[in-house]
Amino acid sequence: MHTRGRKIKVFSGNANQELAKAICGELGLPLGDSVVKTFSDGEISVNINETVRGVDVYVVQSFSLPYVNDYLMELLIMIDALKRASAGRITTVIPYYGYARQDRKAKARDPISAKLVANLIVAAGADRVLTMDLHASQIQGYFDIPLDHLRGVPILAEYFKSKNIDNLVAVSPDLGSVTRTRDFSYKLDAPIAIVDKRRPEANVSEIMNVIGEIEGKNVILIDDMIDTAGTIVNAAKALKDMGAKDIYACCTHGVFSGPALERIKNSAIKELVVLDTINLSQDLRNLDNITLLSVAPIFAEAIRRIFNNDSVSKLFD
């Protein structure tokens, strides 16, 4: 039986130490002393260099480029090390939950990798999960432990509200993002439009139609994640061809794999706003049309509330 400790300690794997340090800065705590490295044969080595007995421990780790699978194993081994060191309660802080797109059997003999990863985290000894904008909300039910699900829309909406863009339309890049776009548009008091696309194969999208009035409007495309940037860039081009004025885009998770950098650089997108759930490469940070916003304040406040047994959902009231 786990119990909440009397102290908080925050540790981090190698996926996004910059974010972990920012969270610690918001909490007024030092980052926990741990070393995560690899042996010469590639196996992962974890050393926790301070006591965690009876402590409320939070481990910050995303599953992202460039070492998705290594980062997952780092988290599992860190959980195991902390559990065996008698940590009071272990909360895994996963800003970006990888493997979330494999959340169901879309065709015969498909794995449900999102459920497998959830099982691994629970089996390793985690007591709780704190994450943001899961690709599919049903993944919350894959865990047999409590999960707190933070949302990126309020952060993105607040940023765009401060820009005072007139004649604005919020655009969903596909049918799956309509609910998120409606929430975003409500916060900005703007109408919505929907891009109708199809995927002939993985990481390939084709724009079929745009539902809604966008001619002569400034538009903001919103999605939970951008991977190869094909969907968002194609949608931006289609909107521009149909008479849209300035085109903005935003997302919670900037995966940005493969040709994403070149696509964004040469796109019709005036500004792409991304949250720092994933540690972006310097090349991406240097792009003139990318703006990075921090999720450290909201994760720090959620950690504070979890520790004090306060409501996390109140963050979004």
Side-chain angles (χ1 to χ4, degrees), residues 143-156:
F143 287 89
D144 297 324
I145 55 177
L147 183 146
D148 292 296
H149 191 211
L150 304 181
R151 295 187 292 121
V153 162
I155 303 171
L156 296 168

Side-chain angles (χ1 to χ4, degrees), residues 226-234 256-257 259-261 263-264:
I226 298 175
D227 187 355
T228 62
T231 292
I232 212 86
V233 166
N234 288 344
F256 299 141
S257 67
L261 189 149
R263 285 175 172 173
I264 294 166

Side-chain angles (χ1 to χ4, degrees), residues 132-137 149 151-154 156-157 170-187 192 221-225 250-253:
M132 175 173 274
D133 280 350
L134 291 167
H135 188 64
S137 59
H149 191 211
R151 295 187 292 121
V153 162
L156 296 168
V171 180
S172 174
D174 53 37
L175 295 173
S177 295
V178 171
T179 301
R180 181 180 300 104
T181 304
R182 194 176 300 281
D183 182 25
F184 181 75
S185 69
Y186 177 77
K187 294 180 186 302
I192 75 166
L221 286 154
I222 179 167
D223 212 344
D224 66 320
M225 64 182 291
C250 59
C251 72
T252 302
H253 310 299

Side-chain angles (χ1 to χ4, degrees), residues 70-288:
D70 283 358
Y71 293 155
L72 172 57
M73 280 303 298
E74 283 181 12
L75 177 64
L76 298 176
I77 294 171
M78 288 187 79
I79 294 168
D80 184 71
L82 293 164
K83 194 78 174 176
R84 295 175 187 278
S86 302
R89 179 172 65 180
I90 302 168
T91 299
T92 56
V93 181
I94 310 174
Y96 171 65
Y97 184 83
Y99 286 101
R101 284 172 286 182
Q102 301 176 43
D103 63 304
R104 67 196 185 286
K105 288 188 68 171
K107 62 181 189 299
R109 295 172 295 281
D110 271 359
I112 304 181
S113 305
K115 171 61 175 167
L116 172 61
V117 170
N119 287 346
L120 291 171
I121 291 168
V122 174
D127 297 306
R128 192 179 197 97
V129 174
L130 175 62
T131 189
M132 175 173 274
D133 280 350
L134 291 167
H135 188 64
S137 59
Q138 68 263 26
I139 293 172
Q140 297 175 69
Y142 293 175
F143 287 89
D144 297 324
I145 55 177
L147 183 146
D148 292 296
H149 191 211
L150 304 181
R151 295 187 292 121
V153 162
I155 303 171
L156 296 168
E158 192 61 35
Y159 174 80
F160 279 105
K161 194 183 294 185
S162 71
K163 292 176 74 73
N164 293 315
I165 303 169
D166 62 355
N167 210 14
L168 189 63
V169 177
V171 180
S172 174
D174 53 37
L175 295 173
S177 295
V178 171
T179 301
R180 181 180 300 104
T181 304
R182 194 176 300 281
D183 182 25
F184 181 75
S185 69
Y186 177 77
K187 294 180 186 302
L188 293 176
D189 193 24
I192 75 166
I194 304 166
V195 175
D196 180 22
K197 73 171 186 182
R198 71 183 184 99
R199 282 196 183 276
E201 57 185 275
N203 290 129
V204 176
S205 68
E206 293 179 359
I207 306 304
M208 309 298 289
N209 191 22
V210 177
I211 305 164
E213 181 57 50
I214 52 91
E215 186 174 358
K217 308 281 189 180
N218 295 310
V219 303
I220 304 176
L221 286 154
I222 179 167
D223 212 344
D224 66 320
M225 64 182 291
I226 298 175
D227 187 355
T228 62
T231 292
I232 212 86
V233 166
N234 288 344
K237 182 180 183 304
L239 293 168
K240 199 72 172 177
D241 290 345
M242 295 179 71
K245 290 173 65 180
D246 289 338
I247 297 173
Y248 301 85
C250 59
C251 72
T252 302
H253 310 299
V255 179
F256 299 141
S257 67
L261 189 149
E262 287 302 317
R263 285 175 172 173
I264 294 166
K265 184 192 297 186
N266 301 315
S267 72
I269 298 170
K270 180 176 182 178
E271 183 182 16
L272 173 56
V273 182
V274 186
L275 303 185
D276 63 348
T277 57
I278 294 173
N279 193 24
L280 296 191
S281 70
Q282 198 58 51
D283 287 342
L284 282 158
R285 290 170 185 256
N286 289 340
L287 287 184
D288 292 336

